[in-house]
Amino acid sequence: MHWKVLATEYLTQHSFFTARKDKCEKPDGNIVDEYYVVELPPTACALPITENGDVVMIRQYRHPIAEVILELPGGFLEPDESPENAMLRELLEETGYEFSQVKQVGNIAANPGVLNNFTTLFLAEGGRKVAGQQLDHNEEIEVVTMPLAELKHLFLQNKIPQALHAMCIFYALREMGEL
């Protein structure tokens, strides 16, 4: 069932984005002359819940869609970093919150027809504000807290446009017995 890669040409290589063109042979012998793959590092995101039961969301501008959207904290894993450690780091950097419990609720491929990475999904609980944000140079993130019921309403009304984050919310709510 797997395809045999006959040749690979890298079109661009960057630490966060690599694009390649593969020439492949399918099991039936047919040749696929050009199959484009975007290589990305693995990512993680979490539905974070504070000690008092509120949800910690972030709002930021996303240039590819030219919109400011409400989403979950998350990001790329560093080399040799576990998804759980990456998630705890991202939560602290983006929101200033620390969480006493982090539980994996899923692992999904965003678009396996083009992208080669997976995103590990978490439910983070017991959050408390312990620091200010420590953002990357190009990040402008507003921290937004809301009751869980409000997030659930937004989710069920299709108001969370980031697909990976919507899946994380779904699996986390299911884990919590909210769906």
Side-chain angles (χ1 to χ4, degrees):
M1 168 108 26
H2 288 83
W3 294 4
K4 180 179 178 184
V5 178
L6 303 174
T8 295
E9 175 187 353
Y10 281 92
L11 307 172
T12 184
Q13 289 184 288
H14 185 274
S15 59
F16 293 118
F17 174 89
T18 297
R20 72 175 200 252
K21 178 175 68 171
D22 289 344
K23 180 178 181 178
C24 301
E25 180 180 356
K26 295 175 17 178
D28 64 7
N30 285 325
I31 302 296
V32 178
D33 285 320
E34 295 180 335
Y35 197 101
Y36 293 90
V37 176
V38 175
E39 298 176 0
L40 295 172
T43 60
C45 68
L47 175 60
I49 310 291
T50 66
E51 290 176 323
N52 66 357
D54 285 338
V55 176
V56 181
M57 302 287 289
I58 59 174
R59 189 182 327 267
Q60 67 180 319
Y61 175 72
R62 291 303 193 178
H63 183 67
I65 61 171
E67 289 186 26
V68 175
I69 62 173
L70 188 64
E71 50 185 32
L72 299 175
F76 291 115
L77 278 63
E78 299 291 335
D80 300 320
E81 184 178 37
S82 73
E84 183 175 322
N85 286 342
M87 193 64 258
L88 290 168
R89 176 183 51 76
E90 288 287 343
L91 285 163
L92 185 59
E93 288 174 2
E94 292 185 357
T95 70
Y97 281 78
E98 249 179 11
F99 292 82
S100 59
Q101 299 175 51
V102 178
K103 181 176 185 178
Q104 183 176 331
V105 294
N107 190 45
I108 60 174
N111 185 353
V114 178
L115 305 176
N116 76 331
N117 74 327
F118 282 83
T119 298
T120 305
L121 313 175
F122 291 95
L123 169 61
E125 296 179 292
R128 56 188 183 85
K129 183 84 167 169
V130 297
Q133 292 174 301
Q134 300 167 14
L135 302 176
D136 294 339
H137 74 281
N138 63 340
E139 287 182 314
E140 294 177 15
I141 295 174
E142 174 191 359
V143 177
V144 177
T145 59
M146 66 180 67
L148 182 60
E150 184 178 341
L151 172 66
K152 190 173 170 182
H153 175 77
L154 290 170
F155 172 71
L156 293 173
Q157 295 300 312
N158 196 28
K159 302 291 184 190
I160 307 295
Q162 215 287 20
L164 294 171
H165 296 189
M167 289 304 301
C168 185
I169 292 166
F170 170 78
Y171 286 119
L173 289 174
R174 189 179 71 174
E175 177 69 25
M176 297 169 67
E178 294 287 331
L179 282 183

